[in-house]
Amino acid sequence: MLTKNNIKLIRSLEQKKYRTKEGVFVAEGPKVVGDLLDAMRPRKVFATSEWISGNDTRGIDVETVSEEELSRISFLQHPQQVLALFPIPTNEESDDYTETLKGKLTLALDSVQDPGNLGTIIRIADWFGIETILCSHETADVYNPKVVQATMGSIARVRVIYTDLPQTLSLLKQQMPVYGTLLDGENIHSKSLSQEGVIVMGNEGKGISPSVSGIITDRILIPNYPEGRHTTDSLNVAIATAITCAEFRRRATE
């Protein structure tokens, strides 16, 4: 039976300070929970009998709940059979990621603040085989329930590291190109692109900050069509990330 303490705990996890205090985050739905179960052991699972009957729950602390009880703890408008509490991984912040990122494409997010955008970008990174995302400390928290849900399980396969972004990029710049999407950049479709480096994506409203733009070695632009036509000022950051990653990966097949 779902207790008041469990309800209070789970609802509190909507806020970062309580996620940090408890060391857990919330994942919901068969897809997201299923992918995370392949990667880590949950602290606790709350699920309907329908979900439990269709999944291997040996060695997992599972509590059976009704649909009505699930709706009391869910952050979704339409709860989806299962809600699980997973431990927040302890990622030690390092001053030098050069060795682990060498030979790979990496994303860097400069103050991306919308949880939906962050979750979608993590999903995009997973699709294009990008294993690591570096985030400024001003970027939305990856364990926000809205972010976790938007990843659709990709959070289990993409490492997200919060760091002093200008400092980290300055170190990486010595070993690999640092690309940035900027309005004064070179057309991404004609520019030479490497399969090693960091791709920086900026804030939804302000773009890449001055402290980061000065570090960028290769400025790129997604052009609008036709050239010179009056159009919107910018693309959504998640859409821009998808277009950019697709172009980098397309070049790898040429």
Side-chain angles (χ1 to χ4, degrees):
M1 183 178 181
L2 195 61
T3 67
K4 289 183 178 179
N5 284 340
N6 281 333
I7 295 172
K8 182 179 179 181
L9 168 64
I10 294 167
R11 298 307 302 180
S12 75
L13 296 176
E14 187 172 19
Q15 297 182 53
K16 183 179 179 179
K17 65 178 180 178
Y18 292 112
R19 293 194 294 272
T20 302
K21 177 184 176 182
E22 300 294 337
V24 295
F25 68 95
V26 175
E28 296 192 61
K31 177 68 173 75
V32 179
V33 172
D35 282 2
L36 282 166
L37 284 174
D38 289 338
M40 65 179 75
R41 184 186 180 91
R43 294 273 182 89
K44 179 85 173 181
V45 174
F46 301 88
T48 63
S49 55
E50 180 183 0
W51 185 87
I52 293 172
S53 65
N55 291 273
D56 182 3
T57 59
R58 289 174 294 180
I60 298 175
D61 184 3
V62 183
E63 182 169 330
T64 305
V65 294
S66 66
E67 294 282 359
E68 191 276 331
E69 287 177 315
L70 189 62
S71 68
R72 294 172 66 188
I73 56 175
S74 176
F75 294 102
L76 303 178
Q77 186 174 359
H78 303 290
Q80 301 174 17
Q81 298 184 348
V82 60
L83 180 152
L85 304 182
F86 285 94
I88 293 175
T90 53
N91 287 322
E92 299 267 338
E93 181 171 321
S94 169
D95 291 330
D96 186 3
Y97 301 108
T98 305
E99 289 304 314
T100 58
L101 302 183
K102 189 175 292 185
K104 300 177 180 179
L105 273 182
T106 299
L107 281 173
L109 305 183
D110 185 12
S111 301
V112 172
Q113 296 179 335
D114 182 83
N117 282 337
L118 176 56
T120 302
I121 289 171
I122 294 170
R123 189 176 178 184
I124 290 165
D126 188 25
W127 180 261
F128 287 107
I130 294 174
E131 300 171 346
T132 303
I133 299 177
L134 303 173
C135 294
S136 67
H137 292 298
E138 295 74 28
T139 295
D141 180 29
V142 64
Y143 298 111
N144 180 311
K146 292 179 180 178
V147 175
V148 175
Q149 202 62 31
T151 72
M152 289 302 293
S154 291
I155 192 174
R157 293 176 292 275
V158 177
R159 181 176 61 153
V160 178
I161 300 171
Y162 288 83
T163 185
D164 182 323
L165 200 57
Q167 179 181 326
T168 298
L169 292 177
S170 293
L171 289 168
L172 292 173
K173 177 182 178 179
Q174 300 172 27
Q175 302 292 330
M176 62 187 70
V178 177
Y179 297 90
T181 49
L182 295 154
L183 292 177
D184 63 349
E186 186 179 336
N187 188 325
I188 190 173
H189 303 303
S190 56
K191 182 173 175 58
S192 176
L193 302 175
S194 168
Q195 290 303 302
E196 175 187 49
V198 184
I199 305 167
V200 182
M201 307 302 296
N203 173 267
E204 290 88 345
K206 299 178 181 178
I208 296 174
S209 63
S211 62
V212 171
S213 64
I215 302 166
I216 289 167
T217 62
D218 294 78
R219 304 166 83 88
I220 54 178
L221 168 72
I222 301 170
N224 66 304
Y225 290 93
E227 186 177 351
R229 176 179 175 271
H230 181 68
T231 185
T232 182
D233 291 337
S234 63
L235 289 170
N236 170 273
V237 65
I239 292 173
T241 302
I243 294 170
T244 302
C245 290
E247 184 63 17
F248 270 84
R249 290 314 195 197
R250 184 184 71 83
R251 300 295 185 86
T253 64
E254 290 183 344

